[in-house]
Amino acid sequence: MDGESYKRDPIDLEVRAHVYSLVSAVGGSSADSDGRYVLGDDALACLKDLKKWLNLYDNNLNRFDVARCIADANLVRGDLLEILAQWREDETDDRMKYKIALACVELLVPLTWPFEIDDTRMTVNHHTHIPYLQLAQVSYKQAVLHHDDVKILRTAIRVALPSMAEERSERSARDEGIIRIVLYFLRNVALITQPSDLTQQEDEAEVSRSETIDAFHYQDVFSFLLTMSSSIGDEFNQQDVMILETLFHLLKGVDPEKLFMGHETLRTKQTDEFRDILRKEKDMLSGYAKHAPTRHNRFGTMIWVKREEEKVSTVSGQNVIGNADVTLLKLDKQKKWNKPQQRSRDKIEEPLTNYEFEREIPLNSSARKHLRVFVEEFLDSSFNPLFTHLRKAIEREAERVTPSHSRQYFYLVYWFLRGECARREAIRRQRLNQNQHDISMSEEENFGIVASVLNQETFVLLNRYMQRSSDEKSWLDLNAGMKCFTQILLTVQEMANSPNDEDLEIAENIQNRIFYEQTTHERVLSILRNFNPSRHSFGYLDACTELFHVFLRMLERYSKQNVDLQIRTRRRIRKKRQRQQKTTNSEDGGGGEEDEAFGNSDDDMQEAQRASSERKFDFSRFVMRFTTQPCVDTFVHFLRYYKELDPEKLKRAHRFFYRVAFKMEQSLILFRLDILALFHRLIRGPEPLVAESTSQKAMLKEWEELVRQVFRRLVKKMEERKETLGVELLFSKMPQTMYYLEHGFEREGTRAKPRPPAELEVKPGIEGEEARFGVAVGVLVDQGKGDSLKWIKDVLEKAFEERKGWEEMDIARVESGNTVRTDESQDMITEEGQKAPSIVVVPVTDEQRTALFKDNKLRLLLSLLGCSRIGDMDDPDASWVIPSSLTSAQLASSLNLIKKFEFDPPTYEDGKAAIDFVRSKAAGERARRPKPAYDDDSEGLGDEEFLFPAGGPTNRKSDALEELKKKRRVRRRQTDDGDMDEEERDRRAEEQRAKRQEAELEKRRKIKSDLFVHNSDEEDDEERDKEFFAKEESIRRKAADAVKRALIEVRKNVTSGEKSKKRKAEKISSSRKKRKAIIDEDQEESESDKDSTSSQSTSSRSTSLEAEDPMRISSSADQSEVETETPVSSQQQIPDLDEKISAINPAKKAEETGTSLDDGGEDDMPVFKPSRRLIRSGFIVESDSDE
């Protein structure tokens, strides 16, 4: 081609030819039909072929050639939309047109599908076609929204209506696919936007968000979405994520507060925003004009500026000639730090255009009105069903759910909760403007319409999502989670102010659940601390500072209302893995101490776990964790955008710095040059904060007061710590530095005492000194502690040489006659201290010093060597010494044993290692402790109830042990003489066990308790004893007087009733009279001693009833009277008294047994009255005989 530049077509010519032929065969305008569109004969087949080309060529080969050819052929505008326009609403039953319309929608979905740009997978073909196809998609959207004849979106919805009309149980997979295709088409239309980096071919206003919302309203897309959302879970199941995506791309970037503002309020706000924009533009132009070139600049000016150490810098410009400050300022502005760009995985995550939700999208009045109506209807009818179904799908990680869906879910939760709060605020303002007295929400207007995202399941999902996003460093996802969590807190705060009791109770419950978990507190703290301007965007910074501000404010209020607030703390602990023993001896008791003993071993496997516990929440202690330099740096970076911040965000930063400086008294952390310069620039300039509205002026006044107080404290502290603080102004403050600057001295830290390891011993199964040495050395060798063994050998060699030299010197001194070695002189030498000096084991390195305290295996070897430890058990600096009792021969023997087993450790049976023959001393003590007899396998012993605990104050030596030894020797000789079979041995063992149990039971019955005997009982106090015996004497006299009075009264009663009872007494048999006469004679003798008996002590009266009973028994009737009226001297006599009376009074015995004394059955036999309870000195004494 002469004179023409030839460009090679990036698309294969054969592919282009095939696609163009199919597009031509679909149809076109016809002159016979007055220019209207006419379908081709094989239009349906051609549409299906085009779909196959897209799937088989573009998708399989990861190319965009077919899509580029379709865009060049103008298939969408010229064919597909025209075909859909021809399908009128009254032609629903036309199956052919329905199939063609469905094929058109199936082609529109891949042609409008969003591009996922991945730098790692981009090819030359992608870079060639994607910009062109993005502009083509914008033209597709403009044609769909603004078609001249029909509503394209409504027609697409009609394609899905037959499938939606089917019952869910009767709906086929094809019907589900048709509904899904229509939803994807609506999602794509809402998603397509004008690329910011490409030249606009269409009017951007025609594809804006406002136009999309208006089109969705007029073409009944909103009604379609409401119908499906309200039926999710009942009629529809798989379509929830597609509705979620459509809502996300419709609502992202829209301010819900402006959506529900009144017309006048919105107009005022927009006017203020426009004024701020004009002011910023003016400031920018004025700043540029100061340094803008003029017509005099052609002459040029350059000066030299002398600096320190004879250095010279050059500055250009005529404005630097006469003003030194301007010269230095311009010199500073020329300085630029080119920070090295390091490519790392933690680089800032630029959000994709399709998922960006930080940029605010303006709406016109009609779009705002239509969207407001849709949001209100959605909240009232569809919010709970859709978001409950979505949450369950995300929890079970359904196949249709992708990671971007979780982000969209939490962002929409944030958006709709914020919209609900804004709607309630708008209703209150409207009622206030109407002069209504009650502006609060009614009982019916509760928060039940958003209850699906205010339950515990959502909180668990949100916490898990935020933690995973933070761990995976997915900052865009974490940003969405922070916005959602912040808005949930604000909604709960709104519920707490509701007049509805149910809302108040729910708000209290939610706050308790949120603030109960310490992990939530830790997560908020971690997010604020870990902000990095090189990784995070301003939207992320805004979200994390707002989350902290709201969380801390609500937590402070809630902790004041609930003084006893408890939180659940989770700390990481170490749990020792249980050591599995193959075989254990009966002497190895308990494993807990052995676990402790082996806890310091490097071979012990440890596993981490989470331990939960509750503790009381201290807000002041918690908020101190936020007064750290990283948290302050986050808010300092946020304040650097003070020109772009609104009053609410400025207030957020002000409250934080006020809390740090004055509430927490940590103003020292703000004494850094860049922070102080930022405060000064915020108030005084050169670019100060400008306030025009009332709210801005109030905020500026608060900032001026804060900065003034901070600088005042700085000056005061500089006077106190001038030298130190002057240097520390350049650096961030560590806690130790802040403490020193505050108090003038460094903080003294306290170290916890180290815990000594458990002492070890060799198990009793190992006999002999050499075998025990083999176990101790084998343990150290198995654990790879050869350095410790080498050090111990060096210590023993030196100790051997020293001890050998002393012994030789001692022998020489004996031979010279200075000391005579006799038994008597040996004691004298020992007392005078003339024995070998102890040798101190001196560690050379820190590792050896630590091993002497921490390594219990090394300490076991030292104990077997005979070394002793001087000092407390928990003293890490205590010394080990080789005592004087060890001779050089013993040291040499121990050294040889260590050398022997170091290179030839002993081997044991059954594959056991040396560590298996070591146990803790505590376990050994438990094993050696004898088991009580009632711990055996016995049944009868447990049924006996002991009268009192074992033990007693009496400890007497008994010959029982010697007798038992003698019997044991005899029995052992007897059993050794002959052979016994197994049954005989078991029988004898059973008899011995029964005898032991009976002996033990009898022994415990005889023991008297000493539980209430204290050491103070053995102390001698003469005055106290005198007072005690006086009281006892008084009590005895009173008891004797009472007994005397009772006896006198009894004698009177007996004398008066003697005559009336004489006839009855004569009828008693002669044998009965003789027995009574004997008793009367005894009682007459005892009555003579009545006066002396009454003065006896209580202990003497308790010996015998016959020796102390002053009463006379004249007859059986008299016996009954005496038994009823006479008090006893002590309770211990009651059983003896009954026995005596039963023996001498047959009438009473006969009455008790139910038999008669006289076979004749005399009618005048006395009737005995039931015995009365015995009374002694005014107390009722129960008698065993009354039972």
Side-chain angles (χ1 to χ4, degrees):
M1 297 182 180
D2 299 337
E4 293 183 2
S5 60
Y6 173 74
K7 277 190 176 182
R8 183 176 178 274
D9 192 351
I11 302 174
D12 189 359
L13 296 179
E14 187 176 354
V15 173
R16 185 182 289 273
H18 278 285
V19 173
Y20 277 4
S21 64
L22 290 174
V23 171
S24 300
V26 171
S29 58
S30 174
D32 297 338
S33 302
D34 299 332
R36 289 179 300 174
Y37 188 85
V38 178
L39 286 171
D41 295 336
D42 295 329
L44 182 59
C46 293
L47 292 175
K48 291 182 178 180
D49 289 343
L50 288 172
K51 181 183 175 182
K52 290 179 181 178
W53 272 95
L54 284 173
N55 292 333
L56 299 177
Y57 192 85
D58 279 7
N59 293 346
N60 292 349
L61 300 179
N62 194 21
R63 298 173 66 87
F64 294 105
D65 293 345
V66 177
R68 175 69 178 270
C69 292
I70 291 176
D72 292 339
N74 196 21
L75 174 67
V76 175
R77 280 178 175 269
D79 296 279
L80 300 182
L81 298 185
E82 296 299 328
I83 295 173
L84 290 174
Q86 289 183 356
W87 186 36
R88 297 190 302 270
E89 295 187 6
D90 55 354
E91 298 177 348
T92 307
D93 298 334
D94 192 340
R95 296 297 299 172
M96 187 62 186
K97 288 189 176 182
Y98 174 78
K99 291 182 179 180
I100 294 176
L102 178 59
C104 292
V105 175
E106 290 178 346
L107 263 177
L108 284 172
V109 170
L111 292 176
T112 57
W113 198 270
F115 297 102
E116 298 179 359
I117 301 176
D118 187 0
D119 294 338
T120 60
R121 300 180 60 186
M122 292 284 286
T123 63
V124 176
N125 183 273
H126 295 166
H127 288 288
T128 303
H129 297 311
I130 283 180
Y132 184 87
L133 293 177
Q134 286 178 337
L135 294 176
Q137 286 183 347
V138 174
S139 66
Y140 299 161
K141 180 177 181 178
Q142 190 272 337
V144 170
L145 296 179
H146 302 282
H147 195 272
D148 297 334
D149 297 334
V150 296
K151 300 176 181 179
I152 300 298
L153 297 176
R154 181 181 175 87
T155 305
I157 292 174
R158 287 169 51 206
V159 174
L161 290 180
S163 300
M164 294 174 60
E166 296 287 340
E167 293 290 339
R168 178 182 174 183
S169 58
E170 300 178 358
R171 200 176 296 153
S172 62
R174 181 175 182 274
D175 294 331
E176 296 287 350
I178 292 173
I179 299 173
R180 186 162 52 249
I181 286 174
V182 173
L183 286 172
Y184 276 133
F185 176 62
L186 298 177
R187 188 277 311 266
N188 295 344
V189 173
L191 185 149
I192 295 173
T193 57
Q194 175 66 41
S196 58
D197 55 343
L198 298 177
T199 305
Q200 300 179 6
Q201 294 182 350
E202 304 288 341
D203 187 4
E204 187 177 1
E206 294 183 355
V207 294
S208 63
R209 186 73 61 83
S210 299
E211 292 295 329
T212 305
I213 293 174
D214 288 338
F216 274 37
H217 173 73
Y218 290 120
Q219 301 187 31
D220 297 331
V221 177
F222 283 152
S223 300
F224 174 73
L225 294 176
L226 287 173
T227 302
M228 295 203 65
S229 301
S230 60
S231 303
I232 284 291
D234 296 332
E235 295 295 332
F236 307 100
N237 186 28
Q238 303 293 326
Q239 294 80 13
D240 49 359
V241 294
M242 288 163 278
I243 299 175
L244 174 71
E245 293 183 15
T246 306
L247 293 175
F248 175 76
H249 294 295
L250 274 177
L251 300 177
K252 65 179 181 180
V254 178
D255 190 355
E257 294 181 355
K258 292 182 179 179
L259 198 65
F260 290 94
M261 280 185 181
H263 181 69
E264 295 298 330
T265 306
L266 180 61
R267 191 172 185 178
T268 303
K269 186 176 181 61
Q270 289 177 343
T271 302
D272 294 341
E273 292 177 353
F274 184 65
R275 185 185 298 112
D276 292 340
I277 293 174
L278 292 178
R279 179 182 54 80
K280 292 177 182 178
E281 183 182 12
K282 182 179 178 181
D283 294 342
M284 182 183 65
L285 294 176
S286 62
Y288 175 74
K290 293 179 180 179
H291 309 286
T294 62
R295 64 188 183 91
H296 300 288
N297 279 12
R298 63 180 179 270
F299 300 106
T301 301
M302 178 176 289
I303 63 174
W304 285 356
V305 180
K306 284 187 176 182
R307 298 186 291 117
E308 68 282 355
E309 298 179 359
E310 299 299 327
K311 293 182 180 179
V312 178
S313 300
T314 58
V315 182
S316 61
Q318 295 179 354
N319 57 343
V320 301
I321 297 177
N323 194 335
D325 294 337
V326 175
T327 304
L328 296 176
L329 181 61
K330 190 168 185 178
L331 186 64
D332 290 338
K333 287 185 176 181
Q334 291 178 354
K335 299 175 182 177
K336 185 178 180 181
W337 179 44
N338 295 322
K339 184 179 179 180
Q341 300 295 328
Q342 296 181 358
R343 193 175 184 86
S344 63
R345 289 184 293 179
D346 294 342
K347 65 179 181 179
I348 184 171
E349 181 178 347
E350 294 292 346
L352 300 176
T353 306
N354 296 336
Y355 301 102
E356 182 182 2
F357 47 76
E358 297 295 344
R359 186 166 59 93
E360 185 176 352
I361 304 298
L363 299 179
N364 55 30
S365 57
S366 62
R368 192 180 304 109
K369 177 183 176 181
H370 297 151
L371 186 59
R372 176 175 179 173
V373 173
F374 167 72
V375 170
E376 289 178 343
E377 294 179 354
F378 183 84
L379 285 170
D380 294 337
S381 63
S382 306
F383 181 83
N384 283 338
L386 177 62
F387 280 83
T388 300
H389 201 267
L390 282 168
R391 175 182 56 78
K392 293 179 180 179
I394 295 173
E395 285 177 345
R396 64 174 179 266
E397 297 180 356
E399 294 182 1
R400 63 183 183 276
V401 177
T402 62
S404 62
H405 290 147
S406 299
R407 183 193 314 131
Q408 295 171 4
Y409 171 82
F410 288 112
Y411 177 79
L412 286 181
V413 170
Y414 149 76
W415 198 96
F416 280 108
L417 287 179
R418 189 179 175 190
E420 175 61 20
C421 294
R423 181 171 68 157
R424 290 173 172 271
E425 183 64 27
I427 294 175
R428 281 193 289 266
R429 284 198 305 265
Q430 183 179 0
R431 293 176 180 177
L432 184 62
N433 295 334
Q434 295 175 359
N435 297 325
Q436 296 184 8
H437 298 288
D438 187 11
I439 62 174
S440 60
M441 308 298 290
S442 62
E443 293 287 339
E444 292 77 12
E445 298 171 331
N446 55 19
F447 284 85
I449 58 177
V450 292
S452 60
V453 296
L454 297 178
N455 49 23
Q456 183 65 15
E457 290 80 5
T458 304
F459 299 152
V460 172
L461 179 63
L462 176 59
N463 289 330
R464 189 187 306 127
Y465 176 76
M466 292 178 64
Q467 188 63 45
R468 184 175 66 249
S469 302
S470 178
D471 296 340
E472 297 176 356
K473 299 181 180 180
S474 179
W475 311 123
L476 193 61
D477 295 343
L478 184 57
N479 190 3
M482 287 189 296
K483 286 181 175 292
C484 179
F485 188 38
T486 304
Q487 193 56 47
I488 287 177
L489 292 176
L490 293 174
T491 306
V492 172
Q493 183 180 357
E494 186 79 11
M495 294 174 64
N497 300 327
S498 173
N500 193 341
D501 295 337
E502 184 179 356
D503 288 343
L504 291 175
E505 184 179 356
I506 294 174
E508 179 71 18
N509 188 17
I510 292 175
Q511 291 183 83
N512 188 21
R513 288 177 180 272
I514 291 176
F515 298 137
Y516 177 67
E517 295 291 344
Q518 191 187 20
T519 54
T520 305
H521 305 183
E522 297 290 342
R523 188 178 301 111
V524 175
L525 175 63
S526 174
I527 290 173
L528 187 67
R529 280 180 175 176
N530 297 332
F531 171 77
N532 191 339
S534 63
R535 294 198 302 258
H536 303 136
S537 62
F538 175 75
Y540 180 93
L541 175 62
D542 183 27
C544 74
T545 52
E546 184 181 12
L547 172 61
F548 165 76
H549 176 71
V550 174
F551 182 84
L552 193 65
R553 185 182 60 184
M554 291 187 62
L555 180 58
E556 182 179 14
R557 182 182 307 172
Y558 188 76
S559 62
K560 289 181 180 178
Q561 295 175 356
N562 299 270
V563 182
D564 297 329
L565 175 63
Q566 300 287 326
I567 62 172
R568 180 168 62 182
T569 61
R570 294 188 177 184
R571 57 187 178 86
R572 188 171 295 276
I573 66 172
R574 311 298 299 179
K575 181 181 179 182
K576 301 181 186 69
R577 180 171 296 177
Q578 298 292 335
R579 184 180 298 272
Q580 298 181 354
Q581 299 286 351
K582 296 181 180 179
T583 56
T584 55
N585 298 328
S586 60
E587 301 156 331
D588 300 341
E593 296 291 338
E594 293 194 21
D595 288 340
E596 182 182 358
F598 297 108
N600 297 310
S601 174
D602 297 335
D603 297 337
D604 289 343
M605 302 298 294
Q606 296 178 341
E607 56 184 6
Q609 66 175 7
R610 304 292 292 183
S612 299
S613 61
E614 286 189 356
R615 66 173 176 85
K616 187 176 181 181
F617 177 71
D618 186 2
F619 179 78
S620 59
R621 177 184 173 187
F622 168 73
V623 79
M624 280 297 296
R625 304 180 64 187
F626 288 93
T627 56
T628 57
Q629 199 66 56
C631 297
V632 172
D633 291 343
T634 301
F635 272 90
V636 168
H637 191 80
F638 180 69
L639 189 60
R640 289 196 176 102
Y641 297 93
Y642 65 90
K643 291 184 179 181
E644 289 79 19
L645 300 181
D646 56 19
E648 285 296 325
K649 296 177 181 179
L650 286 171
K651 181 180 179 180
R652 187 192 309 165
H654 176 273
R655 294 297 183 267
F656 175 79
F657 289 117
Y658 177 79
R659 181 185 295 275
V660 171
F662 302 106
K663 281 190 174 183
M664 307 304 299
E665 296 294 337
Q666 298 290 328
S667 56
L668 283 169
I669 203 171
L670 302 178
F671 295 166
R672 202 176 66 192
L673 285 183
D674 60 333
I675 301 177
L676 298 173
L678 177 62
F679 285 170
H680 184 269
R681 185 168 68 252
L682 179 70
I683 303 301
R684 300 298 179 185
E687 297 175 350
L689 182 65
V690 180
E692 295 183 358
S693 63
T694 305
S695 59
Q696 290 177 344
K697 290 179 181 179
M699 195 70 252
L700 179 59
K701 187 176 180 180
E702 293 182 4
W703 269 106
E704 288 177 349
E705 181 64 21
L706 174 66
V707 173
R708 186 172 64 86
Q709 294 295 336
V710 169
F711 275 93
R712 176 179 293 180
R713 292 200 173 191
L714 172 64
V715 174
K716 184 178 179 181
K717 188 61 66 175
M718 283 290 292
E719 294 175 356
E720 299 176 2
R721 312 273 190 269
K722 185 175 182 180
E723 297 80 3
T724 309
L725 186 57
V727 177
E728 291 296 334
L729 286 176
L730 302 173
F731 308 102
S732 298
K733 309 297 185 296
M734 295 184 297
Q736 295 84 353
T737 306
M738 292 179 60
Y739 187 88
Y740 177 78
L741 293 175
E742 182 68 28
H743 300 88
F745 54 88
E746 294 183 356
R747 179 184 299 170
E748 296 181 359
T750 57
R751 296 181 59 186
K753 272 191 173 183
R755 183 181 177 184
E759 295 293 333
L760 302 181
E761 67 178 10
V762 180
K763 292 182 179 180
I766 305 299
E767 300 294 341
E769 180 182 1
E770 182 176 352
R772 288 195 292 271
F773 263 100
V775 171
V777 176
V779 170
L780 293 176
V781 171
D782 293 343
Q783 294 184 355
K785 297 177 180 179
D787 296 338
S788 299
L789 279 177
K790 183 177 181 301
W791 173 56
I792 293 298
K793 289 191 298 182
D794 296 340
V795 171
L796 289 178
E797 289 176 354
K798 294 179 181 179
F800 168 75
E801 295 176 358
E802 182 178 346
R803 187 59 52 84
K804 183 68 175 175
W806 189 91
E807 290 175 354
E808 292 177 353
M809 183 182 64
D810 186 39
I811 294 173
R813 186 170 59 250
V814 171
E815 293 176 352
S816 62
N818 294 335
T819 305
V820 179
R821 281 189 172 273
T822 62
D823 294 339
E824 295 80 3
S825 62
Q826 182 64 33
D827 296 337
M828 179 187 66
I829 291 173
T830 304
E831 292 178 1
E832 293 177 356
Q834 299 295 327
K835 56 183 179 181
S838 300
I839 302 174
V840 180
V841 179
V842 181
V844 181
T845 62
D846 294 337
E847 289 79 6
Q848 296 172 358
R849 185 177 294 104
T850 304
L852 279 179
F853 180 72
K854 287 290 186 181
D855 193 351
N856 49 4
K857 283 74 176 182
L858 180 62
R859 294 172 64 154
L860 172 63
L861 179 60
L862 291 175
S863 300
L864 293 177
L865 289 173
C867 300
S868 58
R869 192 170 185 269
I870 302 176
D872 297 334
M873 291 296 297
D874 57 350
D875 185 8
D877 298 328
S879 302
W880 285 82
V881 297
I882 299 175
S884 354
S885 58
L886 292 179
T887 63
S888 59
Q890 293 174 334
L891 293 176
S893 175
S894 301
L895 180 60
N896 293 332
L897 288 176
I898 293 177
K899 292 180 179 180
K900 172 185 176 182
F901 293 116
E902 180 181 8
F903 300 102
D904 186 16
T907 57
Y908 303 97
E909 298 178 355
D910 299 332
K912 291 185 177 181
I915 194 68
D916 296 328
F917 298 95
V918 177
R919 69 179 180 184
S920 65
K921 286 188 176 180
E925 290 293 335
R926 288 199 304 271
R928 288 187 291 269
R929 189 181 305 145
K931 294 183 179 180
Y934 53 85
D935 283 348
D936 294 339
D937 298 331
S938 59
E939 297 179 358
L941 187 60
D943 298 333
E944 287 285 347
E945 181 180 359
F946 296 114
L947 303 179
F948 34 78
T954 306
N955 262 338
R956 298 191 303 268
K957 291 185 177 180
S958 175
D959 298 332
L961 182 61
E962 297 296 331
E963 295 177 1
L964 182 62
K965 289 181 179 179
K966 293 178 180 179
K967 293 179 180 179
R968 189 179 303 165
R969 294 193 195 100
V970 174
R971 184 167 57 251
R972 187 175 300 168
R973 286 194 296 268
Q974 292 175 355
T975 55
D976 292 340
D977 294 338
D979 297 335
M980 292 186 299
D981 57 358
E982 190 68 24
E983 295 181 358
E984 180 68 17
R985 188 179 295 107
D986 293 343
R987 186 183 62 79
R988 292 191 178 186
E990 187 66 27
E991 291 177 357
Q992 294 173 3
R993 185 182 300 108
K995 291 180 180 179
R996 286 199 304 269
Q997 292 175 4
E998 185 64 27
E1000 182 67 23
L1001 183 60
E1002 187 67 24
K1003 175 183 176 183
R1004 292 178 66 85
R1005 285 173 178 162
K1006 293 180 180 180
I1007 294 176
K1008 294 185 178 180
S1009 173
D1010 64 343
L1011 296 178
F1012 302 100
V1013 179
H1014 308 284
N1015 295 332
S1016 59
D1017 296 340
E1018 299 177 2
E1019 298 175 359
D1020 294 331
D1021 191 342
E1022 186 176 353
E1023 293 294 329
R1024 187 178 61 188
D1025 294 343
K1026 186 177 181 180
E1027 182 181 358
F1028 171 79
F1029 290 123
K1031 289 182 180 180
E1032 289 292 321
E1033 182 66 23
S1034 176
I1035 292 173
R1036 284 196 296 270
R1037 287 180 179 179
K1038 290 180 181 180
D1041 293 341
V1043 171
K1044 187 184 298 183
R1045 289 193 299 269
L1047 293 176
I1048 293 172
E1049 185 178 357
V1050 169
R1051 287 188 61 187
K1052 291 179 180 180
N1053 295 334
V1054 171
T1055 304
S1056 61
E1058 191 174 10
K1059 294 180 179 181
S1060 59
K1061 298 176 181 178
K1062 187 174 182 181
R1063 290 193 308 268
K1064 298 179 180 179
E1066 292 175 354
K1067 297 180 181 181
I1068 302 175
S1069 62
S1070 58
S1071 61
R1072 177 66 176 157
K1073 290 180 181 179
K1074 293 179 181 180
R1075 192 182 302 123
K1076 185 176 69 110
I1078 296 173
I1079 296 174
D1080 289 340
E1081 182 179 355
D1082 295 339
Q1083 289 184 351
E1084 286 177 356
E1085 294 176 359
S1086 63
E1087 187 173 355
S1088 62
D1089 301 331
K1090 179 174 61 176
D1091 297 334
S1092 61
T1093 305
S1094 62
S1095 62
Q1096 291 177 357
S1097 62
T1098 306
S1099 59
S1100 64
R1101 290 198 305 267
S1102 61
T1103 56
S1104 172
L1105 174 68
E1106 299 173 355
E1108 68 177 328
D1109 191 358
M1111 299 179 293
R1112 293 180 180 271
I1113 303 177
S1114 58
S1115 64
S1116 61
D1118 297 342
Q1119 161 63 27
S1120 177
E1121 292 292 329
V1122 171
E1123 179 185 354
T1124 306
E1125 300 294 337
T1126 305
V1128 296
S1129 60
S1130 64
Q1131 188 174 357
Q1132 284 79 359
Q1133 297 172 2
I1134 293 173
D1136 299 335
L1137 179 62
D1138 290 340
E1139 293 174 4
K1140 294 288 184 180
I1141 293 175
S1142 300
I1144 64 178
N1145 192 354
K1148 176 175 175 60
K1149 185 174 181 180
E1151 190 268 343
E1152 290 177 353
T1153 57
T1155 59
S1156 176
L1157 295 175
D1158 194 351
D1159 297 335
E1162 295 282 344
D1163 296 334
D1164 56 352
M1165 279 296 294
V1167 179
F1168 294 97
K1169 296 184 293 183
S1171 62
R1172 195 177 62 178
R1173 284 188 293 181
L1174 302 179
I1175 301 175
R1176 179 186 127 195
S1177 301
F1179 296 93
I1180 298 176
V1181 181
E1182 298 292 341
S1183 175
D1184 296 339
S1185 63
D1186 295 338
E1187 296 177 357

